[in-house]
């Protein structure tokens, strides 16, 4: 039995593109049944070639703490989710998940980034450092030790992000001024209000 559309519109009627409705349905069914090819599709946007990945999972290799880590990830997976859910690196915390609190801060090529706002596929070919890289065996990084000595943490959710940002701070300014401390750590938020302890910890670094 034909449907109303089939009765009123001939199946071999051609569209404006010159493809009949019957052929269009055949092409569509083949496209749906064919698996997606892994790899980027290059499209032109505003005259420039742009790589488009997905939608299926693809091999993603990240350089994390000096080691190559590979997993099959969908292009929509963030760097934070890749680190926590696929590589078991849970130091970076998932708190706001909207690039506001800084709890997921990691270093990318030596600069602080919010891991929740970076796609894992875009983090390839970059040097990534997480808070796990700072500890050498049982020895804490000087910044970590300063946080302990000055009680610069409370609940701990924001601490890894603050420590990573503080490490980037002292790498950039070995003897930071109060203004530099405020500016460089302004992207991290502590709900417990331990800013005084953090300032003392960073002030100690001035004499290091």
């Amino acid at each position: 039995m034909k449907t109303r559309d089939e009765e009123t519109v001939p199946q071999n009627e051609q569209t404006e593109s010159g493809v009949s409705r019957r052929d269009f349905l055949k092409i569509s069914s083949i496209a749906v049944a064919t698996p997606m090819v892994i790899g980027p599709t290059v499209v032109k946007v505003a005259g420039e070639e742009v790589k488009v990945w997905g939608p299926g999972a693809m091999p993603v290799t990240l350089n994390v703490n000096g080691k190559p880590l590979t997993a099959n990830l969908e292009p929509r997976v963030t760097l934070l989710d890749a680190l926590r859910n696929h590589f078991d690196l849970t130091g970076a915390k998932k708190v706001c998940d909207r690039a506001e609190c800084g709890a997921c801060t990691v270093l990318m090529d030596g600069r602080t980034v919010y891991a929740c706002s970076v796609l894992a596929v875009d983090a390839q070919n970059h040097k990534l450092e997480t808070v796990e890289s700072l500890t050498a065996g049982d020895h804490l990084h000087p910044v970590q030790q300063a946080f302990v000595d000055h009680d610069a943490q409370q609940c701990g959710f924001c601490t890894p992000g603050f420590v990573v940002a503080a490490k980037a701070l002292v790498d950039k300014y070995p003897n930071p001024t109060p203004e530099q401390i405020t500016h460089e750590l302004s992207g991290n938020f502590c709900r417990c209000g331990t800013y005084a302890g953090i300032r003392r910890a960073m002030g100690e670094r001035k004499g290091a």
Side-chain angles (χ1 to χ4, degrees):
M1 180 180 296
K2 292 184 179 181
T3 64
R4 179 179 299 182
D5 290 339
E6 290 175 328
E7 290 177 348
T8 57
V9 181
Q11 290 192 7
N12 62 352
E13 179 183 335
Q14 291 189 337
T15 63
E16 293 181 359
S17 63
V19 179
S20 70
R21 294 178 183 274
R22 183 187 298 275
D23 290 339
F24 174 78
L25 292 174
K26 289 180 180 179
I27 295 171
S28 299
S29 63
I30 293 173
V32 171
T34 303
M36 296 298 296
V37 177
I38 295 177
T41 299
V42 178
V43 298
K44 281 196 173 183
V45 178
E48 296 184 5
E49 291 187 347
V50 178
K51 290 183 178 180
V52 179
W53 299 90
M58 51 175 284
V60 174
T61 300
L62 302 177
N63 179 2
V64 184
N65 302 333
K67 298 179 180 179
L69 302 177
T70 302
N72 286 325
L73 307 175
E74 294 181 6
R76 64 185 178 86
V77 174
T78 64
L79 174 58
L80 178 60
D81 285 339
L83 292 172
R84 293 181 59 84
N85 301 335
H86 297 273
F87 301 132
D88 198 28
L89 293 170
T90 57
K93 303 305 180 188
K94 191 170 186 177
V95 179
C96 73
D97 203 25
R98 60 184 65 185
E100 290 183 354
C101 73
C104 65
T105 300
V106 300
L107 298 182
M108 179 183 289
D109 298 330
R111 302 183 64 179
T112 56
V113 298
Y114 295 136
C116 72
S117 65
V118 177
L119 294 176
V121 66
D122 289 334
Q124 296 183 109
N125 303 316
H126 292 280
K127 179 183 177 182
L128 303 171
E129 297 174 79
T130 69
V131 70
E132 285 90 348
S133 70
L134 301 185
T135 304
D138 295 330
H139 300 285
L140 297 178
H141 186 279
V143 168
Q144 293 173 307
Q145 189 61 56
F147 268 63
V148 173
D149 294 341
H150 293 277
D151 198 20
Q153 68 283 318
Q154 191 163 324
C155 77
F157 273 95
C158 72
T159 304
F162 260 110
V163 168
V164 171
K167 194 263 186 186
L169 163 65
V170 297
D171 284 347
K172 186 176 181 180
Y173 302 110
N175 298 304
T177 65
E179 292 75 18
Q180 290 169 337
I181 293 173
T182 298
H183 180 268
E184 296 297 320
L185 300 184
S186 62
N188 294 71
F189 180 70
C190 175
R191 289 173 172 82
C192 300
T194 61
Y195 298 108
I198 294 171
R199 285 180 174 276
R200 287 195 299 269
M202 292 297 95
E204 176 185 282
R205 293 294 307 159
K206 186 173 182 179

